[in-house]
Amino acid sequence: MRRINNSKIGARLKKLRESRGIDKTDAALEFNIAPSQYGCIENGKKCISTEVLIKVCSYYNTSIDYILFGKNPSCISVFFKKIDRYPQPYIKVALKVLACMFLQSDNKEYYNHPYYKIFMDGLLEKIPAEAPSAIKYVLEYEKNRKKTSENEMIKELGISRYKWNSIMKSGYAHDIEIPLNISNQYGYDMEFLINNKITANKFFDTLFAIQSPEKQKDIMQVFELVVTNQEKEYNIEMQNNKLPL
């Protein structure tokens, strides 16, 4: 079970800030918070909020896992390498098609894997593409999947009824401990929960490795076609956005 260490988070923020050559006041302005608040976060005296975390990751072009846990991806999915430069809607479409090629396999042992839930069990279809966070939809999905009550979910996650209602209403969680609890309980990536963003998970590589050579060849050929089509659509969209109104 992962836990947050405010002092280590503050140390990583300090390292990133100094690498940019800015002071604490400049950083606070960049993240739209008071200098005193930023100082408390960097000094490890206050927990970072999800709002500030998102701004920090965007500004320094780093990951949530690095800020919270000091971890960067040690390996990148073979499939993700081909699509990681595209926006999230394109990535999700490509991976959804990839998932469909594994549906005929016996995947029961992966039934509780978050990527199985997202791509093979219908969670992705429940999350609007424009949703800034997946937290609300994950909680609704897990409640229905487990056929349990809101009260049981609240108890399981150790949150208050007030916070549950707030998430269900806004679709967002200010307290970083909430997505962390959900991640620890159900296995979802923090990046997905907080940003509705799919990262370079090796799930599909694992499923791919157990296929026959013939099946692997078919899967890769189809995936290459999907990537090529996504690239064409992406280029068209970019060209259209450059056209004058």
Side-chain angles (χ1 to χ4, degrees):
M1 180 176 291
R2 297 184 298 179
R3 299 184 183 278
I4 290 175
N5 185 310
N6 291 336
S7 294
K8 290 183 178 180
I9 290 173
R12 286 188 282 274
L13 291 178
K14 180 179 179 181
K15 181 178 179 181
L16 288 169
R17 176 178 60 77
E18 291 179 342
S19 71
R20 285 291 183 96
I22 60 175
D23 60 24
K24 291 182 180 180
T25 301
D26 291 335
L29 289 172
E30 190 66 41
F31 307 138
N32 196 30
I33 58 177
S36 59
Q37 182 181 356
Y38 177 80
C40 286
I41 295 173
E42 190 174 296
N43 292 333
K45 296 178 180 178
K46 185 173 183 178
C47 188
I48 192 169
S49 68
T50 53
E51 295 96 331
V52 175
L53 178 60
I54 290 169
K55 292 174 184 177
V56 165
C57 291
S58 176
Y59 181 68
Y60 293 120
N61 191 28
T62 190
S63 69
I64 286 176
D65 267 358
Y66 173 72
I67 298 297
L68 295 183
F69 312 111
K71 294 182 179 179
N72 282 315
S74 57
C75 55
I76 299 179
S77 163
V78 169
F79 299 104
F80 205 85
K81 282 181 180 179
K82 300 177 182 294
I83 56 176
D84 65 345
R85 70 186 182 91
Y86 298 114
Q88 279 293 306
Y90 292 90
I91 291 174
K92 291 176 179 178
V93 167
L95 293 181
K96 181 65 177 180
V97 174
L98 179 63
C100 291
M101 289 186 278
F102 293 114
L103 283 176
Q104 295 179 347
S105 303
D106 183 7
N107 297 314
K108 291 181 180 178
E109 63 183 292
Y110 302 106
Y111 181 73
N112 287 316
H113 192 287
Y115 268 37
Y116 184 96
K117 297 175 186 179
I118 294 169
F119 293 106
M120 296 181 178
D121 199 39
L123 175 55
L124 185 63
E125 283 72 29
K126 300 178 185 300
I127 306 174
E130 68 277 7
S133 167
I135 293 176
K136 169 185 175 180
Y137 306 97
V138 166
L139 291 179
E140 290 177 337
Y141 167 84
E142 288 291 343
K143 180 174 72 70
N144 294 331
R145 194 176 199 240
K146 297 172 62 165
K147 298 180 181 178
T148 190
S149 67
E150 288 187 356
N151 287 337
E152 286 298 320
M153 292 286 290
I154 289 169
K155 181 179 178 181
E156 187 172 75
L157 293 169
I159 62 176
S160 67
R161 163 61 68 176
Y162 172 80
K163 287 186 176 180
W164 173 278
N165 290 342
S166 177
I167 293 169
M168 291 299 109
K169 183 178 180 180
S170 68
Y172 197 75
H174 170 84
D175 184 351
I176 196 66
E177 291 288 347
I178 293 176
L180 180 62
N181 288 346
I182 297 171
S183 178
N184 285 333
Q185 187 70 36
Y186 306 120
Y188 294 97
D189 292 337
M190 292 288 280
E191 200 81 52
F192 174 66
L193 292 170
I194 295 174
N195 279 331
N196 188 20
K197 182 179 179 182
I198 299 297
T199 52
N201 194 286
K202 299 278 286 183
F203 174 66
F204 291 117
D205 298 64
T206 302
L207 291 180
F208 182 76
I210 63 177
Q211 307 299 317
S212 67
E214 293 78 13
K215 180 68 173 179
Q216 287 182 350
K217 182 178 179 181
D218 291 342
I219 289 172
M220 193 56 73
Q221 286 179 341
V222 173
F223 189 69
E224 292 285 358
L225 288 174
V226 172
V227 171
T228 299
N229 184 61
Q230 291 293 87
E231 183 173 8
K232 290 179 180 178
E233 291 187 12
Y234 176 72
N235 289 336
I236 291 172
E237 182 179 346
M238 291 298 98
Q239 290 173 3
N240 290 339
N241 288 339
K242 292 178 182 178
L243 293 177
L245 296 177

